[in-house]
PDB file of all heavy atoms in Angstrom:
ATOM      1  N   LEU S   1     220.430 -22.038 262.297  1.00 95.00           N
ATOM      2  CA  LEU S   1     219.673 -21.101 263.234  1.00 95.00           C
ATOM      3  C   LEU S   1     220.710 -20.188 264.038  1.00 95.00           C
ATOM      4  O   LEU S   1     221.962 -20.594 264.102  1.00 95.00           O
ATOM      5  CB  LEU S   1     218.847 -21.950 264.223  1.00 95.00           C
ATOM      6  CG  LEU S   1     217.766 -22.822 263.609  1.00 95.00           C
ATOM      7  CD1 LEU S   1     217.367 -23.747 264.651  1.00 95.00           C
ATOM      8  CD2 LEU S   1     216.656 -21.906 263.020  1.00 95.00           C
ATOM      9  N   SER S   2     220.133 -19.146 264.637  1.00 92.00           N
ATOM     10  CA  SER S   2     221.080 -18.245 265.289  1.00 92.00           C
ATOM     11  C   SER S   2     221.297 -18.500 266.795  1.00 92.00           C
ATOM     12  O   SER S   2     221.902 -17.750 267.460  1.00 92.00           O
ATOM     13  CB  SER S   2     220.499 -16.731 265.145  1.00 92.00           C
ATOM     14  OG  SER S   2     219.134 -16.783 265.804  1.00 92.00           O
ATOM     15  N   ALA S   3     220.632 -19.592 267.197  1.00 95.00           N
ATOM     16  CA  ALA S   3     220.767 -20.016 268.583  1.00 95.00           C
ATOM     17  C   ALA S   3     220.740 -21.519 268.718  1.00 95.00           C
ATOM     18  O   ALA S   3     220.399 -22.220 267.694  1.00 95.00           O
ATOM     19  CB  ALA S   3     219.743 -19.395 269.446  1.00 95.00           C
ATOM     20  N   PRO S   4     221.121 -22.066 269.855  1.00 97.00           N
ATOM     21  CA  PRO S   4     221.124 -23.607 269.906  1.00 97.00           C
ATOM     22  C   PRO S   4     219.646 -24.089 269.604  1.00 97.00           C
ATOM     23  O   PRO S   4     218.738 -23.478 269.937  1.00 97.00           O
ATOM     24  CB  PRO S   4     221.576 -23.871 271.379  1.00 97.00           C
ATOM     25  CG  PRO S   4     222.294 -22.573 271.838  1.00 97.00           C
ATOM     26  CD  PRO S   4     221.654 -21.417 270.962  1.00 97.00           C
ATOM     27  N   LEU S   5     219.659 -25.413 269.188  1.00 98.00           N
ATOM     28  CA  LEU S   5     218.338 -26.033 268.881  1.00 98.00           C
ATOM     29  C   LEU S   5     218.210 -27.302 269.779  1.00 98.00           C
ATOM     30  O   LEU S   5     219.061 -28.079 269.696  1.00 98.00           O
ATOM     31  CB  LEU S   5     218.354 -26.373 267.370  1.00 98.00           C
ATOM     32  CG  LEU S   5     217.108 -27.191 267.008  1.00 98.00           C
ATOM     33  CD1 LEU S   5     215.903 -26.431 267.036  1.00 98.00           C
ATOM     34  CD2 LEU S   5     217.399 -27.727 265.564  1.00 98.00           C
ATOM     35  N   ALA S   6     217.088 -27.403 270.448  1.00 98.00           N
ATOM     36  CA  ALA S   6     216.688 -28.479 271.241  1.00 98.00           C
ATOM     37  C   ALA S   6     215.626 -29.227 270.366  1.00 98.00           C
ATOM     38  O   ALA S   6     214.687 -28.475 269.958  1.00 98.00           O
ATOM     39  CB  ALA S   6     216.246 -28.043 272.645  1.00 98.00           C
ATOM     40  N   VAL S   7     215.583 -30.512 270.330  1.00 98.00           N
ATOM     41  CA  VAL S   7     214.562 -31.343 269.463  1.00 98.00           C
ATOM     42  C   VAL S   7     213.958 -32.287 270.268  1.00 98.00           C
ATOM     43  O   VAL S   7     214.617 -33.190 270.923  1.00 98.00           O
ATOM     44  CB  VAL S   7     215.408 -31.840 268.260  1.00 98.00           C
ATOM     45  CG1 VAL S   7     214.408 -32.593 267.290  1.00 98.00           C
ATOM     46  CG2 VAL S   7     216.173 -30.854 267.429  1.00 98.00           C
ATOM     47  N   TYR S   8     212.609 -32.257 270.173  1.00 98.00           N
ATOM     48  CA  TYR S   8     211.781 -33.224 270.876  1.00 98.00           C
ATOM     49  C   TYR S   8     211.116 -34.124 269.736  1.00 98.00           C
ATOM     50  O   TYR S   8     210.649 -33.617 268.875  1.00 98.00           O
ATOM     51  CB  TYR S   8     210.559 -32.597 271.625  1.00 98.00           C
ATOM     52  CG  TYR S   8     210.964 -31.864 272.933  1.00 98.00           C
ATOM     53  CD1 TYR S   8     211.407 -30.503 272.802  1.00 98.00           C
ATOM     54  CD2 TYR S   8     210.957 -32.484 274.106  1.00 98.00           C
ATOM     55  CE1 TYR S   8     211.823 -29.829 273.925  1.00 98.00           C
ATOM     56  CE2 TYR S   8     211.368 -31.847 275.355  1.00 98.00           C
ATOM     57  CZ  TYR S   8     211.822 -30.514 275.278  1.00 98.00           C
ATOM     58  OH  TYR S   8     212.142 -29.750 276.347  1.00 98.00           O
ATOM     59  N   VAL S   9     211.545 -35.457 269.891  1.00 97.00           N
ATOM     60  CA  VAL S   9     211.169 -36.340 268.817  1.00 97.00           C
ATOM     61  C   VAL S   9     210.021 -37.272 269.241  1.00 97.00           C
ATOM     62  O   VAL S   9     210.137 -37.943 270.227  1.00 97.00           O
ATOM     63  CB  VAL S   9     212.347 -37.262 268.367  1.00 97.00           C
ATOM     64  CG1 VAL S   9     211.919 -38.263 267.235  1.00 97.00           C
ATOM     65  CG2 VAL S   9     213.470 -36.312 267.904  1.00 97.00           C
ATOM     66  N   ASP S  10     208.968 -37.268 268.421  1.00 92.00           N
ATOM     67  CA  ASP S  10     207.820 -38.150 268.840  1.00 92.00           C
ATOM     68  C   ASP S  10     207.005 -38.400 267.597  1.00 92.00           C
ATOM     69  O   ASP S  10     206.756 -37.513 266.747  1.00 92.00           O
ATOM     70  CB  ASP S  10     207.082 -37.480 269.895  1.00 92.00           C
ATOM     71  CG  ASP S  10     205.942 -38.476 270.561  1.00 92.00           C
ATOM     72  OD1 ASP S  10     206.178 -39.670 270.415  1.00 92.00           O
ATOM     73  OD2 ASP S  10     204.945 -37.999 271.077  1.00 92.00           O
ATOM     74  N   GLY S  11     206.373 -39.576 267.512  1.00 82.00           N
ATOM     75  CA  GLY S  11     205.410 -39.891 266.397  1.00 82.00           C
ATOM     76  C   GLY S  11     206.293 -40.192 265.025  1.00 82.00           C
ATOM     77  O   GLY S  11     207.444 -40.296 265.057  1.00 82.00           O
ATOM     78  N   GLY S  12     205.363 -40.348 264.099  1.00 80.00           N
ATOM     79  CA  GLY S  12     205.835 -40.670 262.790  1.00 80.00           C
ATOM     80  C   GLY S  12     205.753 -42.235 262.479  1.00 80.00           C
ATOM     81  O   GLY S  12     205.430 -43.031 263.402  1.00 80.00           O
ATOM     82  N   ASP S  13     206.070 -42.593 261.193  1.00 84.00           N
ATOM     83  CA  ASP S  13     205.890 -43.967 260.841  1.00 84.00           C
ATOM     84  C   ASP S  13     207.068 -44.848 261.442  1.00 84.00           C
ATOM     85  O   ASP S  13     207.048 -46.116 261.755  1.00 84.00           O
ATOM     86  CB  ASP S  13     205.902 -44.145 259.368  1.00 84.00           C
ATOM     87  CG  ASP S  13     204.582 -43.506 258.759  1.00 84.00           C
ATOM     88  OD1 ASP S  13     203.588 -43.550 259.432  1.00 84.00           O
ATOM     89  OD2 ASP S  13     204.682 -43.001 257.553  1.00 84.00           O
ATOM     90  N   GLU S  14     208.256 -44.215 261.588  1.00 84.00           N
ATOM     91  CA  GLU S  14     209.431 -44.844 262.047  1.00 84.00           C
ATOM     92  C   GLU S  14     209.469 -44.705 263.640  1.00 84.00           C
ATOM     93  O   GLU S  14     209.480 -43.715 264.117  1.00 84.00           O
ATOM     94  CB  GLU S  14     210.727 -44.278 261.432  1.00 84.00           C
ATOM     95  CG  GLU S  14     211.976 -44.924 261.804  1.00 84.00           C
ATOM     96  CD  GLU S  14     213.176 -44.296 261.277  1.00 84.00           C
ATOM     97  OE1 GLU S  14     213.007 -43.447 260.389  1.00 84.00           O
ATOM     98  OE2 GLU S  14     214.369 -44.685 261.724  1.00 84.00           O
ATOM     99  N   ILE S  15     209.476 -45.878 264.235  1.00 87.00           N
ATOM    100  CA  ILE S  15     209.495 -45.873 265.733  1.00 87.00           C
ATOM    101  C   ILE S  15     210.942 -45.886 266.231  1.00 87.00           C
ATOM    102  O   ILE S  15     211.681 -46.754 265.965  1.00 87.00           O
ATOM    103  CB  ILE S  15     208.720 -46.937 266.261  1.00 87.00           C
ATOM    104  CG1 ILE S  15     207.225 -46.937 265.802  1.00 87.00           C
ATOM    105  CG2 ILE S  15     208.832 -47.002 267.867  1.00 87.00           C
ATOM    106  CD1 ILE S  15     206.392 -48.144 266.169  1.00 87.00           C
ATOM    107  N   VAL S  16     211.252 -44.880 267.002  1.00 94.00           N
ATOM    108  CA  VAL S  16     212.620 -44.857 267.632  1.00 94.00           C
ATOM    109  C   VAL S  16     212.416 -44.537 269.029  1.00 94.00           C
ATOM    110  O   VAL S  16     211.554 -43.775 269.434  1.00 94.00           O
ATOM    111  CB  VAL S  16     213.660 -43.840 266.926  1.00 94.00           C
ATOM    112  CG1 VAL S  16     213.832 -44.225 265.501  1.00 94.00           C
ATOM    113  CG2 VAL S  16     213.085 -42.447 267.021  1.00 94.00           C
ATOM    114  N   SER S  17     213.265 -45.041 269.940  1.00 96.00           N
ATOM    115  CA  SER S  17     213.156 -44.806 271.330  1.00 96.00           C
ATOM    116  C   SER S  17     213.739 -43.253 271.593  1.00 96.00           C
ATOM    117  O   SER S  17     214.707 -42.866 270.777  1.00 96.00           O
ATOM    118  CB  SER S  17     214.063 -45.859 272.159  1.00 96.00           C
ATOM    119  OG  SER S  17     215.372 -45.755 271.894  1.00 96.00           O
ATOM    120  N   PRO S  18     213.501 -42.822 272.748  1.00 97.00           N
ATOM    121  CA  PRO S  18     214.224 -41.606 273.167  1.00 97.00           C
ATOM    122  C   PRO S  18     215.778 -41.689 273.082  1.00 97.00           C
ATOM    123  O   PRO S  18     216.430 -40.793 272.682  1.00 97.00           O
ATOM    124  CB  PRO S  18     213.660 -41.331 274.593  1.00 97.00           C
ATOM    125  CG  PRO S  18     212.402 -41.853 274.680  1.00 97.00           C
ATOM    126  CD  PRO S  18     212.507 -43.234 273.815  1.00 97.00           C
ATOM    127  N   ALA S  19     216.277 -42.811 273.636  1.00 98.00           N
ATOM    128  CA  ALA S  19     217.763 -43.056 273.585  1.00 98.00           C
ATOM    129  C   ALA S  19     218.182 -43.045 272.083  1.00 98.00           C
ATOM    130  O   ALA S  19     219.319 -42.403 271.858  1.00 98.00           O
ATOM    131  CB  ALA S  19     218.152 -44.280 274.228  1.00 98.00           C
ATOM    132  N   GLU S  20     217.589 -43.590 271.272  1.00 97.00           N
ATOM    133  CA  GLU S  20     217.996 -43.740 269.869  1.00 97.00           C
ATOM    134  C   GLU S  20     217.924 -42.403 269.157  1.00 97.00           C
ATOM    135  O   GLU S  20     218.952 -42.006 268.518  1.00 97.00           O
ATOM    136  CB  GLU S  20     217.168 -44.714 268.979  1.00 97.00           C
ATOM    137  CG  GLU S  20     217.363 -46.147 269.356  1.00 97.00           C
ATOM    138  CD  GLU S  20     216.337 -47.158 268.875  1.00 97.00           C
ATOM    139  OE1 GLU S  20     215.218 -46.655 268.645  1.00 97.00           O
ATOM    140  OE2 GLU S  20     216.606 -48.269 268.676  1.00 97.00           O
ATOM    141  N   SER S  21     216.827 -41.620 269.359  1.00 97.00           N
ATOM    142  CA  SER S  21     216.838 -40.277 268.772  1.00 97.00           C
ATOM    143  C   SER S  21     217.900 -39.351 269.490  1.00 97.00           C
ATOM    144  O   SER S  21     218.441 -38.562 268.805  1.00 97.00           O
ATOM    145  CB  SER S  21     215.426 -39.668 269.058  1.00 97.00           C
ATOM    146  OG  SER S  21     215.035 -39.540 270.400  1.00 97.00           O
ATOM    147  N   ALA S  22     218.076 -39.536 270.769  1.00 98.00           N
ATOM    148  CA  ALA S  22     219.158 -38.732 271.401  1.00 98.00           C
ATOM    149  C   ALA S  22     220.536 -38.918 270.870  1.00 98.00           C
ATOM    150  O   ALA S  22     221.338 -37.978 270.578  1.00 98.00           O
ATOM    151  CB  ALA S  22     219.088 -39.043 272.866  1.00 98.00           C
ATOM    152  N   ALA S  23     220.810 -40.154 270.439  1.00 98.00           N
ATOM    153  CA  ALA S  23     222.127 -40.552 269.888  1.00 98.00           C
ATOM    154  C   ALA S  23     222.325 -39.905 268.495  1.00 98.00           C
ATOM    155  O   ALA S  23     223.259 -39.324 268.258  1.00 98.00           O
ATOM    156  CB  ALA S  23     222.296 -41.982 269.756  1.00 98.00           C
ATOM    157  N   LEU S  24     221.340 -39.876 267.665  1.00 97.00           N
ATOM    158  CA  LEU S  24     221.229 -39.139 266.376  1.00 97.00           C
ATOM    159  C   LEU S  24     221.434 -37.701 266.553  1.00 97.00           C
ATOM    160  O   LEU S  24     222.304 -37.000 265.912  1.00 97.00           O
ATOM    161  CB  LEU S  24     220.026 -39.482 265.618  1.00 97.00           C
ATOM    162  CG  LEU S  24     219.791 -40.984 265.256  1.00 97.00           C
ATOM    163  CD1 LEU S  24     218.371 -41.116 264.614  1.00 97.00           C
ATOM    164  CD2 LEU S  24     220.918 -41.303 264.258  1.00 97.00           C
ATOM    165  N   LEU S  25     220.751 -37.147 267.476  1.00 98.00           N
ATOM    166  CA  LEU S  25     220.760 -35.626 267.776  1.00 98.00           C
ATOM    167  C   LEU S  25     222.219 -35.110 268.374  1.00 98.00           C
ATOM    168  O   LEU S  25     222.776 -34.191 267.922  1.00 98.00           O
ATOM    169  CB  LEU S  25     219.741 -35.194 268.678  1.00 98.00           C
ATOM    170  CG  LEU S  25     218.309 -35.273 268.063  1.00 98.00           C
ATOM    171  CD1 LEU S  25     217.230 -35.128 269.237  1.00 98.00           C
ATOM    172  CD2 LEU S  25     218.092 -34.191 267.041  1.00 98.00           C
ATOM    173  N   CYS S  26     222.576 -35.977 269.201  1.00 98.00           N
ATOM    174  CA  CYS S  26     224.054 -35.613 269.785  1.00 98.00           C
ATOM    175  C   CYS S  26     225.060 -35.644 268.703  1.00 98.00           C
ATOM    176  O   CYS S  26     225.925 -34.830 268.729  1.00 98.00           O
ATOM    177  CB  CYS S  26     224.373 -36.598 270.908  1.00 98.00           C
ATOM    178  SG  CYS S  26     223.367 -36.245 272.513  1.00 98.00           S
ATOM    179  N   ALA S  27     224.988 -36.740 267.906  1.00 98.00           N
ATOM    180  CA  ALA S  27     226.023 -36.866 266.850  1.00 98.00           C
ATOM    181  C   ALA S  27     225.885 -35.615 265.890  1.00 98.00           C
ATOM    182  O   ALA S  27     226.803 -35.177 265.213  1.00 98.00           O
ATOM    183  CB  ALA S  27     225.805 -38.071 266.065  1.00 98.00           C
ATOM    184  N   GLY S  28     224.756 -35.064 265.739  1.00 98.00           N
ATOM    185  CA  GLY S  28     224.579 -33.928 264.800  1.00 98.00           C
ATOM    186  C   GLY S  28     224.774 -32.543 265.522  1.00 98.00           C
ATOM    187  O   GLY S  28     224.426 -31.512 264.879  1.00 98.00           O
ATOM    188  N   GLY S  29     224.949 -32.532 266.744  1.00 98.00           N
ATOM    189  CA  GLY S  29     225.339 -31.396 267.422  1.00 98.00           C
ATOM    190  C   GLY S  29     224.020 -30.601 268.003  1.00 98.00           C
ATOM    191  O   GLY S  29     224.153 -29.469 268.256  1.00 98.00           O
ATOM    192  N   ARG S  30     222.914 -31.414 268.136  1.00 98.00           N
ATOM    193  CA  ARG S  30     221.780 -30.782 268.556  1.00 98.00           C
ATOM    194  C   ARG S  30     221.464 -31.327 269.913  1.00 98.00           C
ATOM    195  O   ARG S  30     221.879 -32.343 270.352  1.00 98.00           O
ATOM    196  CB  ARG S  30     220.576 -31.120 267.613  1.00 98.00           C
ATOM    197  CG  ARG S  30     220.788 -30.516 266.196  1.00 98.00           C
ATOM    198  CD  ARG S  30     221.044 -29.062 266.181  1.00 98.00           C
ATOM    199  NE  ARG S  30     221.002 -28.486 264.800  1.00 98.00           N
ATOM    200  CZ  ARG S  30     221.289 -27.318 264.472  1.00 98.00           C
ATOM    201  NH1 ARG S  30     221.747 -26.497 265.548  1.00 98.00           N
ATOM    202  NH2 ARG S  30     221.162 -26.901 263.257  1.00 98.00           N
ATOM    203  N   ILE S  31     220.556 -30.541 270.706  1.00 98.00           N
ATOM    204  CA  ILE S  31     220.290 -30.804 272.079  1.00 98.00           C
ATOM    205  C   ILE S  31     219.158 -31.679 272.064  1.00 98.00           C
ATOM    206  O   ILE S  31     218.024 -31.295 271.676  1.00 98.00           O
ATOM    207  CB  ILE S  31     219.977 -29.502 272.849  1.00 98.00           C
ATOM    208  CG1 ILE S  31     221.165 -28.643 272.835  1.00 98.00           C
ATOM    209  CG2 ILE S  31     219.609 -29.912 274.284  1.00 98.00           C
ATOM    210  CD1 ILE S  31     220.812 -27.158 273.450  1.00 98.00           C
ATOM    211  N   PRO S  32     219.070 -33.033 272.537  1.00 98.00           N
ATOM    212  CA  PRO S  32     217.928 -33.731 272.638  1.00 98.00           C
ATOM    213  C   PRO S  32     216.955 -33.252 273.763  1.00 98.00           C
ATOM    214  O   PRO S  32     217.337 -32.816 274.813  1.00 98.00           O
ATOM    215  CB  PRO S  32     218.564 -35.150 273.188  1.00 98.00           C
ATOM    216  CG  PRO S  32     220.123 -35.057 272.882  1.00 98.00           C
ATOM    217  CD  PRO S  32     220.259 -33.680 273.024  1.00 98.00           C
ATOM    218  N   GLY S  33     215.755 -33.370 273.485  1.00 98.00           N
ATOM    219  CA  GLY S  33     214.675 -33.079 274.441  1.00 98.00           C
ATOM    220  C   GLY S  33     213.933 -34.243 274.893  1.00 98.00           C
ATOM    221  O   GLY S  33     213.655 -35.184 274.025  1.00 98.00           O
ATOM    222  N   LEU S  34     213.628 -34.352 276.187  1.00 98.00           N
ATOM    223  CA  LEU S  34     212.958 -35.416 276.765  1.00 98.00           C
ATOM    224  C   LEU S  34     211.586 -34.979 277.108  1.00 98.00           C
ATOM    225  O   LEU S  34     211.369 -34.168 278.119  1.00 98.00           O
ATOM    226  CB  LEU S  34     213.810 -35.975 277.966  1.00 98.00           C
ATOM    227  CG  LEU S  34     213.181 -37.170 278.731  1.00 98.00           C
ATOM    228  CD1 LEU S  34     213.223 -38.418 277.780  1.00 98.00           C
ATOM    229  CD2 LEU S  34     213.887 -37.481 279.931  1.00 98.00           C
ATOM    230  N   ALA S  35     210.605 -35.527 276.588  1.00 98.00           N
ATOM    231  CA  ALA S  35     209.262 -35.253 276.945  1.00 98.00           C
ATOM    232  C   ALA S  35     208.862 -35.754 278.318  1.00 98.00           C
ATOM    233  O   ALA S  35     209.383 -36.660 278.722  1.00 98.00           O
ATOM    234  CB  ALA S  35     208.279 -35.758 275.834  1.00 98.00           C
ATOM    235  N   SER S  36     207.735 -35.080 278.815  1.00 98.00           N
ATOM    236  CA  SER S  36     207.140 -35.581 280.097  1.00 98.00           C
ATOM    237  C   SER S  36     206.532 -36.869 279.919  1.00 98.00           C
ATOM    238  O   SER S  36     205.927 -37.193 278.936  1.00 98.00           O
ATOM    239  CB  SER S  36     206.264 -34.611 280.635  1.00 98.00           C
ATOM    240  OG  SER S  36     205.582 -34.967 281.870  1.00 98.00           O
ATOM    241  N   GLY S  37     206.391 -37.657 280.947  1.00 96.00           N
ATOM    242  CA  GLY S  37     205.745 -38.977 280.956  1.00 96.00           C
ATOM    243  C   GLY S  37     206.446 -40.193 280.465  1.00 96.00           C
ATOM    244  O   GLY S  37     205.682 -41.210 280.251  1.00 96.00           O
ATOM    245  N   ARG S  38     207.552 -40.117 280.095  1.00 97.00           N
ATOM    246  CA  ARG S  38     208.378 -41.329 279.656  1.00 97.00           C
ATOM    247  C   ARG S  38     208.554 -42.320 280.846  1.00 97.00           C
ATOM    248  O   ARG S  38     208.638 -41.830 281.985  1.00 97.00           O
ATOM    249  CB  ARG S  38     209.774 -40.907 279.177  1.00 97.00           C
ATOM    250  CG  ARG S  38     209.671 -40.057 277.822  1.00 97.00           C
ATOM    251  CD  ARG S  38     209.197 -40.889 276.690  1.00 97.00           C
ATOM    252  NE  ARG S  38     209.218 -40.214 275.375  1.00 97.00           N
ATOM    253  CZ  ARG S  38     208.840 -40.701 274.308  1.00 97.00           C
ATOM    254  NH1 ARG S  38     208.343 -41.964 274.144  1.00 97.00           N
ATOM    255  NH2 ARG S  38     208.947 -40.062 273.055  1.00 97.00           N
ATOM    256  N   SER S  39     208.676 -43.589 280.382  1.00 97.00           N
ATOM    257  CA  SER S  39     208.891 -44.560 281.577  1.00 97.00           C
ATOM    258  C   SER S  39     210.278 -44.496 282.188  1.00 97.00           C
ATOM    259  O   SER S  39     211.186 -43.875 281.612  1.00 97.00           O
ATOM    260  CB  SER S  39     208.607 -45.962 280.938  1.00 97.00           C
ATOM    261  OG  SER S  39     209.732 -46.257 280.151  1.00 97.00           O
ATOM    262  N   PRO S  40     210.427 -44.972 283.411  1.00 98.00           N
ATOM    263  CA  PRO S  40     211.724 -44.983 283.932  1.00 98.00           C
ATOM    264  C   PRO S  40     212.759 -45.712 283.108  1.00 98.00           C
ATOM    265  O   PRO S  40     213.991 -45.171 283.029  1.00 98.00           O
ATOM    266  CB  PRO S  40     211.528 -45.736 285.392  1.00 98.00           C
ATOM    267  CG  PRO S  40     210.061 -45.414 285.617  1.00 98.00           C
ATOM    268  CD  PRO S  40     209.364 -45.404 284.334  1.00 98.00           C
ATOM    269  N   ALA S  41     212.419 -46.737 282.540  1.00 98.00           N
ATOM    270  CA  ALA S  41     213.281 -47.406 281.600  1.00 98.00           C
ATOM    271  C   ALA S  41     213.899 -46.578 280.475  1.00 98.00           C
ATOM    272  O   ALA S  41     214.952 -46.448 280.058  1.00 98.00           O
ATOM    273  CB  ALA S  41     212.827 -48.698 281.156  1.00 98.00           C
ATOM    274  N   GLU S  42     212.842 -45.836 279.764  1.00 98.00           N
ATOM    275  CA  GLU S  42     213.151 -45.004 278.691  1.00 98.00           C
ATOM    276  C   GLU S  42     213.992 -43.899 279.060  1.00 98.00           C
ATOM    277  O   GLU S  42     215.013 -43.522 278.398  1.00 98.00           O
ATOM    278  CB  GLU S  42     211.784 -44.490 278.082  1.00 98.00           C
ATOM    279  CG  GLU S  42     211.037 -45.581 277.290  1.00 98.00           C
ATOM    280  CD  GLU S  42     209.753 -44.871 276.783  1.00 98.00           C
ATOM    281  OE1 GLU S  42     209.144 -44.159 277.452  1.00 98.00           O
ATOM    282  OE2 GLU S  42     209.363 -45.158 275.557  1.00 98.00           O
ATOM    283  N   ILE S  43     213.603 -43.237 280.301  1.00 98.00           N
ATOM    284  CA  ILE S  43     214.524 -42.168 280.767  1.00 98.00           C
ATOM    285  C   ILE S  43     215.936 -42.623 281.074  1.00 98.00           C
ATOM    286  O   ILE S  43     216.839 -41.959 280.708  1.00 98.00           O
ATOM    287  CB  ILE S  43     213.779 -41.512 281.891  1.00 98.00           C
ATOM    288  CG1 ILE S  43     212.422 -41.086 281.659  1.00 98.00           C
ATOM    289  CG2 ILE S  43     214.728 -40.456 282.508  1.00 98.00           C
ATOM    290  CD1 ILE S  43     211.669 -40.549 282.884  1.00 98.00           C
TER     291      ILE S  43
END
């Protein structure tokens, strides 16, 4: 892409936490997105 990419991960058959998806995205050079309504522990 021609500009930075932020990725919001949710749903699907494979269940990953926001932290787990963030680790994958950071390793790939992408910006993790945090959706509204997550629990304090998840955040």
